[in-house]
Amino acid sequence: MLTTRHGVRPLGPADLDDFLALARRRPVVNAFVDYRATTTNLEPRWLGGEMWGRFGGGALVAACHVGANLVPVEATPDDAAAFAERALARSRTVSTIVGPQDAVRGFWNAVASSWGRPRDTRWEQPHLEIGGPPLVAPDPQVRRTVRADLTELYPACVAMYTEEVGVSPEHGGGAELYRARVIQLVNRGWSFARFDQGRLVFKAEVACATPYAAQIQGVFVPPDRRGQGLATAGMAAVVELVRREIAPSVSLYVNDWNASARAVYEKVGFRETARFATVMF
């Protein structure tokens, strides 16, 4: 049953095939929600939230992941406004709104007056992809991390997160959960790093993966080792490893103002295919 006049309702396991068909219209851009749907079967207890769908003429035309992250899926600004109307019927639970720029802007414009002032807004985030070999030589010393690397790896993950987001992942007692997430990525073989005499000098992780694409997060080089080509060769190695063993395309999104990171990704062979935006609370 549709629960609003705009044709929005929560999706469940019976909607999985239709949802995946929708998300896979742009399988690389929608890698995160594809991964979440296939690993949870759209069961709310596993999602840690809900997946909303908007219907038109009996067909699923747009969707919205509503968990810690709120992510519009193939949503026009009108679809985003319809999802916002449903969101306004309850208190805000999400910590981040992220996804294609127009949909995020449409959603935010509808909830801004009620959801309070965000901690940060990032409206220009190029979404980058590479679907072939890297354009530069990969660093042969980049490898998958193991649990024995955590002494170096975990502080680097905290430093990267704090630098990128503006608040430590350990803030408010979050250290245990964040450490568990880092360990989970290591156990999955989704964490990569290079070490120089035992010290971590480059790292990156796969945040999510589908049969079509893997999304990279957490790219980091310690401040005193930047400008030495470690990120360029390191990312080339990650692209090569991921494409060979995890997914055929590799994606990420980056802040428009981060000129050094964008230069690294361009050298490696990433190309912009969409614009994302992020609103953080």
Side-chain angles (χ1 to χ4, degrees):
M1 178 180 294
L2 302 182
T3 55
T4 80
R5 64 188 177 88
H6 291 297
V8 176
R9 68 165 171 85
L11 303 179
D15 301 299
L16 181 61
D17 288 345
D18 288 342
F19 175 81
L20 291 177
L22 176 75
R24 290 173 181 176
R25 293 178 186 174
R26 291 190 296 171
V28 184
V29 167
N30 293 322
F32 170 76
V33 291
D34 188 324
Y35 171 73
R36 293 289 290 149
T38 54
T39 55
T40 65
N41 201 35
L42 293 181
E43 286 279 5
R45 63 188 176 192
W46 302 119
L47 270 169
E50 292 182 325
M51 192 78 77
W52 298 343
R54 191 184 193 201
F55 292 78
L60 181 65
V61 296
C64 188
H65 176 277
V66 188
N69 297 324
L70 187 145
V71 185
V73 185
E74 296 301 296
T76 66
D78 183 63
D79 296 324
F83 291 131
E85 180 183 293
R86 183 179 180 89
L88 286 170
R90 63 186 202 178
S91 60
R92 178 180 65 82
T93 57
V94 306
S95 59
T96 305
I97 307 167
V98 60
Q101 184 185 71
D102 288 346
V104 170
R105 192 182 299 277
F107 185 94
W108 176 242
N109 286 344
V111 303
S113 61
S114 299
W115 275 19
R117 188 170 185 173
R119 183 167 52 79
D120 197 4
T121 55
R122 301 178 180 183
W123 292 109
E124 299 292 339
Q125 295 180 304
H127 175 275
L128 309 176
E129 299 177 19
I130 181 169
L135 301 182
V136 296
D139 185 341
Q141 295 187 58
V142 171
R143 60 169 173 81
R144 280 186 166 90
T145 62
V146 296
R147 281 194 175 225
D149 297 319
L150 282 171
T151 301
E152 281 287 315
L153 177 63
Y154 181 73
C157 290
V158 171
M160 180 275 153
Y161 187 102
T162 304
E163 182 177 322
E164 173 65 21
V165 178
V167 61
S168 170
E170 298 182 328
H171 178 74
E176 186 174 339
L177 282 174
Y178 189 67
R179 187 176 182 87
R181 172 61 174 165
V182 172
I183 292 172
Q184 181 184 59
L185 294 174
V186 171
N187 290 342
R188 285 179 177 167
W190 286 6
S191 170
F192 305 89
R194 177 189 172 178
F195 298 86
D196 183 1
Q197 298 182 342
R199 184 194 178 200
L200 185 147
V201 295
F202 166 81
K203 78 162 192 75
E205 296 95 39
V206 170
C208 58
T210 73
Y212 306 95
Q215 187 179 97
I216 301 299
Q217 66 173 19
V219 180
F220 179 75
V221 173
D224 66 314
R225 296 299 300 269
R226 294 173 186 174
Q228 301 174 15
L230 288 165
T232 302
M235 279 302 297
V238 170
V239 166
E240 192 172 69
L241 287 163
V242 170
R243 290 191 65 249
R244 185 171 67 234
E245 301 176 17
I246 300 177
S249 290
V250 181
S251 71
L252 53 83
Y253 56 98
V254 60
N255 293 311
D256 186 68
W257 46 259
N258 194 341
S260 59
R262 294 189 66 187
V264 164
Y265 302 139
E266 184 174 359
K267 289 176 187 175
V268 173
F270 284 87
R271 296 294 179 262
E272 182 174 343
T273 58
R275 277 278 159 140
F276 273 29
T278 302
V279 178
M280 294 183 286
F281 297 94

